[in-house]
Amino acid sequence: MAKRNLLLEYSEELAVKIAKLCNEYKIDSNTVFQIKKSSSSVFANITEAQYPQSLADMHSKFEIARKECTETESWLKLIFASGVIDEPTFRSYRNLCGRIRRMLTASCITIEKKIEEKK
C-alpha cells in the first residue's frame, strides 16, 4: 500500500477549494486571478518537489510553496475583509493554509538539516 502524502493532498484540496470559492462568490477578476494563481502554485510546487533534482531543489520548491501559501492566505483575508465570505468560511480556508504552511516549514527544517549534514 502506498504511503499517503498529506502535504500533497492538502495542497490539492486548497487549490480545488479556492477554484470552487471563486466560482461560487462574486469576487473581482484580479483577486480571482491572483488567488487561483497562488493556490495552484502551492500545489504545483509541492508536486514538483516529489521528484527533485537534489535536496536543494526540493527545499527551493517547498520554500516557494510556503510563500505562495502565505499569499493565498492574504488574498483570503482581503476577500473576507471585503465582506464576500463569512467568518466560518474564512477560518476554514485559513486553517487549511496554516496546516500546509506548518508542514512545509517542518519539511524545510528537516531538509536544511540533511543538507548541512552532507557538508
Side-chain angles (χ1 to χ4, degrees):
M1 180 183 242
K3 183 179 175 188
R4 287 182 67 192
N5 185 331
L6 290 177
L7 182 57
L8 192 58
E9 287 179 27
Y10 291 148
S11 66
E12 182 178 13
E13 178 185 350
L14 178 65
V16 169
K17 282 185 167 185
I18 291 295
K20 287 180 180 179
L21 178 90
C22 290
N23 291 334
E24 292 175 17
Y25 292 89
K26 189 172 183 170
I27 304 169
D28 75 88
S29 60
N30 179 59
T31 303
V32 167
F33 173 77
Q34 294 293 343
I35 196 167
K36 280 184 173 181
K37 185 168 89 43
S38 62
S39 64
S40 62
S41 181
V42 173
F43 176 63
N45 277 286
I46 291 170
T47 300
E48 285 184 44
Q50 303 309 300
Y51 302 98
Q53 296 172 343
S54 64
L55 280 176
D57 181 48
M58 178 184 276
H59 184 264
S60 176
K61 299 286 191 270
F62 281 171
E63 286 287 358
I64 293 167
R66 188 165 60 166
K67 291 190 320 189
E68 295 289 343
C69 193
T70 301
E71 180 181 341
T72 300
E73 190 171 351
S74 71
W75 287 112
L76 285 167
K77 287 178 185 175
L78 183 64
I79 293 168
F80 173 62
S82 301
V84 176
I85 58 175
D86 60 20
E87 190 169 352
T89 302
F90 168 67
R91 285 182 185 269
S92 170
Y93 284 77
R94 185 191 62 192
N95 290 345
L96 181 56
C97 285
R99 183 178 309 129
I100 293 167
R101 201 173 47 255
R102 285 187 299 276
M103 292 174 80
L104 286 166
T105 298
S107 295
C108 285
I109 290 168
T110 300
I111 294 168
E112 288 165 6
K113 287 177 183 175
K114 286 181 180 181
I115 291 171
E116 197 58 36
E117 287 171 3
K118 287 188 170 192
K119 287 184 179 179

